Amino acid sequence: QVQLVESGGGLVQTGGSLSLSCVASGLTFSNYKMAWFRQAPGKEREVVAAIGWSGASTSYSNVVKGRFTISRDNAKNTVYLQMSSLKPEDTAVYYCAAGNPNFAHRYDYWGQGTQVTVSS
């Protein structure tokens, strides 16, 4: 079955950096668009960044643009999220997701999430 396993979360001070990884199995990784979402307590889940199947196209939410970078390595079935200049409002559970690139805004597979906490 399809599995997405995130890692790299943790506690960091304001202004610090963290790098998240998500390893996929059970699917043809290079056929899927990938994205990172996050959900803070009491808030709705929001998309943070997305990347096309080849890695050539990326998009970011306005609140993280310029601070976060999404990338992928199809040979390693892995998608990354490099986060810098972190702020307390970036505190959330971060999830990676995989979706059929033919369907916009739809993601079919989700990881279990990794906690990111930014202290002030």
Side-chain angles (χ1 to χ4, degrees):
Q1 73 277 21
V2 175
Q3 281 192 310
L4 302 179
V5 180
E6 302 98 334
S7 62
L11 174 64
V12 64
Q13 291 186 332
T14 296
S17 299
L18 274 178
S19 182
L20 306 183
S21 299
C22 171
V23 180
S25 60
L27 52 70
T28 304
F29 183 72
S30 59
N31 287 352
Y32 286 80
K33 63 182 181 183
M34 300 295 295
W36 286 95
F37 289 76
R38 69 185 183 187
Q39 188 166 22
K43 295 188 176 181
E44 292 188 356
R45 186 173 59 193
E46 61 176 352
V47 61
V48 172
I51 188 166
W53 63 271
S54 71
S57 65
T58 58
S59 61
Y60 299 90
S61 70
N62 287 334
V63 295
V64 306
K65 196 173 295 184
R67 300 189 297 122
F68 291 11
T69 302
I70 189 171
S71 61
R72 66 189 295 162
D73 185 339
N74 286 347
K76 296 182 178 180
N77 286 7
T78 303
V79 61
Y80 306 95
L81 185 68
Q82 178 65 42
M83 306 183 291
S84 61
S85 302
L86 284 162
K87 306 174 182 180
E89 50 265 44
D90 294 317
T91 295
V93 178
Y94 283 71
Y95 301 89
C96 70
N100 185 320
N102 294 319
F103 297 95
H105 310 300
R106 173 178 144 182
Y107 289 87
D108 301 303
Y109 304 107
W110 296 83
Q112 82 290 346
T114 187
Q115 176 71 47
V116 171
T117 303
V118 184
S119 63
S120 56

